[in-house]
């Protein structure tokens, strides 16, 4: 029998109860990225079936958006380096070992996110935060939830794209 999804495995250590869904979502995504990306060739990682975004884009965008959303959650605005990284998320990179590199980048992003989640004071969850140049209103809780939800969305698209690529090759 396979292990249940992360959210059914009990609480994540050192994460406040209000943020357990954020931690569970991120950890589930990490498992899915680890299971999916290595099954693709370097060329498949950057293919765009039917004009859809590539699997590589979904991984890089999940990494970058986690970083950006957590920056806003800390009450900060984005740096020039973050804006530059945003513009390069879809660039193809077919070097040897790209699958392992993408998995490692995703793992590191999840670890940074979990560290921030663990360090979050539950009494601060409803504090206001501003998002983007327009400084749109949110809260710390809203940003942390959206970081997990947005990551799940792109990992789901990664998994679907990988299935399409594998079904049409060979």
């Amino acid at each position: 029998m396979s292990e249940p999804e992360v959210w059914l495995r009990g609480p994540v250590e050192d994460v406040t109860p209000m943020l357990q869904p954020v931690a569970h979502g991120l950890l589930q995504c990490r498992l899915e990225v680890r299971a999916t990306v290595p099954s693709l060739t370097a060329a498949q990682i950057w293919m765009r079936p039917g004009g859809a975004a590539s699997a590589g884009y979904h991984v890089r965008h999940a990494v970058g958006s986690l970083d950006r959303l957590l920056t806003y959650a800390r009450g900060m605005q984005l740096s020039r380096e973050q804006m530059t990284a945003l513009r390069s998320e879809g660039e193809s990179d077919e070097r040897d070992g790209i699958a392992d590199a993408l998995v490692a980048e995703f793992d590191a992003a999840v670890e940074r996110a979990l560290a921030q989640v663990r360090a979050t004071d539950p009494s601060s969850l409803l504090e206001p935060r501003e998002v983007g140049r327009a400084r749109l209103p949110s809260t710390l809780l809203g940003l942390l939830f959206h970081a997990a939800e947005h990551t799940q969305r792109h990992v789901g698209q990664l998994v679907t794209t990988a299935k399409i690529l594998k079904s049409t090759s060979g």
Side-chain angles (χ1 to χ4, degrees):
M1 184 172 140
S2 66
E3 202 168 11
E5 288 191 3
V6 175
W7 69 280
L8 293 170
R9 297 180 193 175
V12 177
E13 189 174 349
D14 298 325
V15 174
T16 187
M18 287 291 293
L19 296 177
Q20 286 291 324
V22 172
H24 287 140
L26 292 172
L27 290 169
Q28 186 68 43
C29 286
R30 182 171 68 184
L31 290 176
E32 291 174 14
V33 167
R34 287 177 176 176
T36 303
V37 174
S39 72
L40 300 172
T41 66
Q44 286 175 320
I45 288 171
W46 303 106
M47 285 181 183
R48 300 183 62 203
S54 69
Y57 166 79
H58 288 299
V59 175
R60 280 195 180 149
H61 182 70
V63 168
S65 62
L66 257 179
D67 178 54
R68 292 185 293 276
L69 290 165
L70 294 175
T71 297
Y72 294 134
R74 291 189 300 273
M76 302 166 62
Q77 290 295 307
L78 301 184
S79 68
R80 181 174 291 125
E81 293 79 16
Q82 287 170 305
M83 295 303 293
T84 299
L86 171 62
R87 289 187 292 274
S88 66
E89 288 174 352
E91 291 178 8
S92 176
D93 178 354
E94 294 185 29
R95 65 185 147 101
D96 286 343
I98 187 59
D100 291 338
L102 288 170
V103 171
E105 289 170 26
F106 190 83
D107 280 353
V110 168
E111 287 306 312
R112 287 189 302 272
L114 290 173
Q116 185 168 333
V117 167
R118 286 184 171 107
T120 300
D121 178 351
S123 69
S124 68
L125 290 174
L126 298 180
E127 289 179 2
R129 294 293 189 267
E130 297 176 330
V131 180
R133 291 182 187 147
R135 299 186 182 268
L136 299 171
S138 188
T139 62
L140 175 55
L141 179 59
L143 277 158
L144 294 175
F145 174 82
H146 183 65
E149 178 272 329
H150 189 84
T151 302
Q152 289 176 304
R153 183 183 318 164
H154 283 281
V155 170
Q157 290 175 302
L158 157 71
V159 170
T160 299
T161 301
K163 286 180 181 180
I164 292 167
L165 291 169
K166 288 189 277 186
S167 74
T168 59
S169 66

